[in-house]
Amino acid sequence: MKTTYREAMRAAIRDAMDRDDRVFLMGEDVGAYGGCFAVSLGLLEEFGPERIRDTPLSESAFVGAGIGAALGGMRPIVEIMTVNFSLLALDQLVNNAATLLHMSGGQFNVPIVVRMTTGAGRQLAAQHSHSLEGWYAHIPGLRVVAPATIEDARGMLWTALDDPDPVLVFEHSGLYGIEGELTDDAGAVDIDRAAVRSPGDDLTIITYGGMLPVALSAAASLVDDGVDAEVIDLRTLRPLDADTILASVARTHRAIVVDEGWRSGSLSAEVSARITEHCFYELDAPVARICTEEVPMPYPRHLEQAALPQPEEVVAAAREMLGAA
Amino acid sequence: MGEFRMPSLGADMDVGTVVEWRVRPGDEVHRGDIVALVDTEKSTIEVEVFEDGIVEELLVEPGAEVPVGTPLARIGAVAEAAAAGTAPAPPAAPAEAEAVREAEAVPEPETVPEPSRAAPPRAPSGGKRRRRAKPLAAPQPAPAGRSDGRVRASPLARRRAADAGIDLSTLRGSGPGGAVLAADLAAPTDADVQSAPTAEEHRPEPAVSGAAPGAEAEPGAEGSTAGAKDRQAAMRHAIAALMARSKREIPHYYVATTIDFGAARTWLDDQNARRGVGERLLPAVVLLKATALAAREAPHVNGFWDDGFQEPPAVHLGVAVSLRGGGLVAPAIHDADRMDLDGLMGALRDLVERARSGRLRSSEMSDPTITVSNLGDQGAEEVLGVIYPPQVGLVGFGRIVERPWAVDGMIGVRPVVRATFAGDHRASDGHDGARLLTTIDRLLQAPEAL
């Protein structure tokens, strides 16, 4: 079945609503407008305003309401328009959702799923385009996932809802339009393991989310150089599946981390550090990182593209690593 | 067990030339066996092996001058070699070895998730070429070594080189800044092949003179060939470097005392009167034994300095031996404090003989923990010595002379010897040096107990 990432995500929400009547969706413009990125288009008509709820423009309020609903036995899916806006709900997410199980001595789980878009590439400028998922990956008590494929868009939501603790789902806005085949029986997938998206022996490119197409494009270019790059999609940013990363790097001896976040204090720094801590004696080159330029995301297209990691940069880093600089 | 490396036969040795192998691949060797003759700037040394094992492969051709630390031979454990037959594991088959190591290095390659749920497969244009990654363009060779002596190399290359016994500094790195990468290890044979003849070209004489080491051709009778002259010049150079280093780095202090040798002389005369000519004891032996015993008692005068005082394993007495053609060596008499005088006399005689014929052993060159310089034979009454790094002390003895000497308020004529101690002030103080000399004096007053 030919579909898109957006449709796969919508199918996932529909499937969850069908499976469990405790599931509902709420957020800004998810109902009448069909969602800012049209993910929930048509769901209001299908499930009604009780379960597809438009909320006031207060992230703190509706995320807090979602946490309360989860504590009360519901299975809320809360949509935040972009990760930039989630900062208004940071207190609810970090101080409440992430801590209540711990602070209640294990009495209260918070089975909330918070979906939000992340990333740049659509000329939405510096208040709608940043990749701050790495911040959330810092927080114990949260699980952070980043579906980068149609299968994961279709399959991660149900597993996240099934998780008794808060799960944040980061959907890169640049991925909504990608098209691909989805089998009719596609369903829930694990949210524990990283995935090898393209096997190779010569170097490992580690990435996630919106940078997966960039990494795969770079790997395809490198084939022409006779270089087999392995591409790993982290899928889950917290907890990191270090085993998959380390097993790959132990085999290829070279690693490039591609992260749309900024370099300093980033998820790419964490991945690089894990490799260096556990794979130092396997490394044949320093771990390389390709990250977004450390500027607020520019609005003009050419500047935005210049700020974002590009396949050519990944290819250049790979070539340098392999001794052909 | 791994490789047998060019040993450092003293602080002044940077390079050595293998002039002869005493073992062949397949030979079983035991700790202390002499496996090779190595030519240094000072002399030809019989080099011993320090572990038991089986020689798997000789890595350096006779005549090749190599830096200290260079692997000379691969020596396998007895069981290991037996299991593998006598077939050595040649470094020329790194691919296989690499595969084995890689298999070990990756604990669970099976746990890598199946790529089956992978997203859009890569554009299938022409399919993947399964070429192994090689440098994409011709690497610009750059010397791996740097001015600070550290070789730039990736952790993987460093680890694999260590496993394979390859000296990284012999490789040319193809990585950034000339860094040695794992791929550069795959062709170590090139570097090996190149380096050996180069060394021969630069130093033909040692190679030639070493080519006939079986003929104990009186290396002592130096001066007759150009090679010997070179040897002398080289030795001068080595002594110059070492002594300059000593005076540059070691804050020397000196203490001295005059020791009444009367009791020792009387005892020696008595002993020697009852011995055949061949078994007679020289005064030097008594002085050496007294020094060895005293060195055991006095703190911080026997041992090494390496960023701090290093306790020595024993008293290995270095004995300065001047060579006939000029220059000197100071090889060790091992455990001199535990030898009786006859044993020490035999050891001294053997050592001087071999030093002068250029047949010293590697352990003798590298092991001394304190050195004695006795210039009494040359007529000097006092020696103020220069310490051999990394040792921390040198005892000097002058000529035994008769002097008017006051004992118990009376003046008599007594044989006396001037004893000096040059100490490393980082390791010990004048008090320690004085105590050493006082102890030597006390021991010499009871020679029968030595």
Side-chain angles (χ1 to χ4, degrees), chain A residues 150-192:
Chain A
I150 290 171
E151 287 81 0
D152 279 353
R154 173 67 185 85
M156 278 186 164
L157 185 72
W158 178 253
T159 317
L161 283 165
D162 231 15
D163 193 297
D165 298 311
V167 179
L168 307 190
V169 181
F170 285 91
E171 300 160 17
H172 195 284
S173 62
L175 294 174
Y176 284 125
I178 61 168
E179 294 184 343
E181 284 294 322
L182 190 64
T183 56
D184 292 337
D185 60 351
V189 298
D190 80 275
I191 53 172
D192 300 306

Side-chain angles (χ1 to χ4, degrees), chain A:
Chain A
M1 174 181 67
K2 203 165 182 69
T3 187
T4 65
Y5 183 101
R6 175 186 289 106
E7 287 163 3
M9 188 58 72
R10 186 184 305 135
I13 296 170
R14 182 183 289 122
D15 179 37
M17 305 276 277
D18 284 339
R19 284 206 206 195
D20 187 338
D21 59 12
R22 296 174 301 171
V23 173
F24 67 98
L25 173 71
M26 70 174 165
E28 293 161 354
D29 285 336
V30 300
Y33 186 63
C36 187
F37 290 88
V39 171
S40 53
L41 194 64
L43 294 181
L44 175 65
E45 292 73 15
E46 194 171 343
F47 293 100
E50 284 289 306
R51 299 185 71 192
I52 305 294
R53 304 176 72 97
D54 279 319
T55 66
L57 299 188
S58 172
E59 283 76 8
S60 180
F62 67 76
V63 172
I67 292 169
L71 286 168
M74 301 297 281
R75 292 288 183 272
I77 303 169
V78 177
E79 178 181 310
I80 301 176
M81 210 177 277
T82 78
V83 67
N84 279 89
F85 302 159
S86 79
L87 303 190
L88 292 156
L90 210 52
D91 176 57
Q92 294 295 350
L93 290 168
V94 177
N95 281 335
N96 292 332
T99 61
L100 287 177
L101 176 66
H102 174 82
M103 294 187 75
S104 67
Q107 295 182 82
F108 299 115
N109 292 96
V110 184
I112 188 176
V113 171
V114 182
R115 296 175 42 242
M116 58 189 110
T117 55
T118 185
R122 297 166 67 99
Q123 282 193 270
L124 295 174
Q127 291 171 329
H128 302 69
S129 302
H130 291 152
S131 292
L132 302 177
E133 52 276 8
W135 282 6
Y136 290 105
H138 179 66
I139 308 297
L142 299 180
R143 178 180 287 265
V144 180
V145 302
T149 64
I150 290 171
E151 287 81 0
D152 279 353
R154 173 67 185 85
M156 278 186 164
L157 185 72
W158 178 253
T159 317
L161 283 165
D162 231 15
D163 193 297
D165 298 311
V167 179
L168 307 190
V169 181
F170 285 91
E171 300 160 17
H172 195 284
S173 62
L175 294 174
Y176 284 125
I178 61 168
E179 294 184 343
E181 284 294 322
L182 190 64
T183 56
D184 292 337
D185 60 351
V189 298
D190 80 275
I191 53 172
D192 300 306
R193 304 301 304 267
V196 175
R197 298 301 188 195
S198 175
D201 296 325
D202 298 331
L203 73 128
T204 303
I205 302 174
I206 300 140
T207 191
Y208 67 91
M211 287 294 108
L212 179 61
V214 171
L216 289 170
S217 166
S221 301
L222 286 167
V223 168
D224 297 335
D225 292 329
V227 174
D228 282 340
E230 179 145 302
V231 177
I232 290 181
D233 173 7
L234 291 174
R235 300 181 72 244
T236 297
L237 312 186
R238 180 184 187 92
L240 275 178
D241 174 15
D243 291 347
T244 297
I245 301 169
L246 299 177
S248 175
V249 176
R251 194 160 41 75
T252 64
H253 310 294
R254 303 170 189 90
I256 300 174
V257 187
V258 184
D259 181 359
E260 193 176 323
W262 294 300
R263 178 183 306 259
S264 302
S266 64
L267 193 68
S268 70
E270 177 63 28
V271 172
S272 173
R274 297 273 182 112
I275 293 169
T276 309
E277 283 167 351
H278 300 289
C279 268
F280 182 78
Y281 295 105
E282 296 296 341
L283 287 176
D284 205 21
V287 177
R289 288 190 285 157
I290 309 295
C291 304
T292 291
E293 294 296 325
E294 302 216 1
V295 293
M297 191 54 67
Y299 171 75
R301 177 158 188 80
H302 65 291
L303 291 181
E304 184 178 42
Q305 290 304 313
L308 289 169
Q310 301 295 334
E312 295 73 29
E313 295 172 71
V314 182
V315 169
R319 286 183 173 152
E320 182 176 347
M321 198 168 267
L322 288 160

Side-chain angles (χ1 to χ4, degrees), chain B residues 250-320:
Chain B
I250 301 179
H252 286 65
Y253 71 85
Y254 297 91
V255 289
T257 190
T258 302
I259 296 173
D260 180 354
F261 201 69
R265 166 59 54 78
T266 304
W267 184 79
L268 275 173
D269 287 348
D270 183 49
Q271 287 289 313
N272 285 337
R274 288 183 269 149
R275 289 165 181 256
V277 176
E279 291 112 46
R280 285 185 184 159
L281 300 173
L282 289 173
V285 171
V286 178
L287 294 173
L288 290 176
K289 184 66 192 291
T291 303
L293 289 173
R296 198 166 64 185
E297 291 180 25
H300 298 164
V301 297
N302 178 59
F304 309 105
W305 182 267
D306 178 18
D307 241 8
F309 179 71
Q310 314 285 324
E311 285 288 346
V315 179
H316 300 317
L317 207 59
V319 181

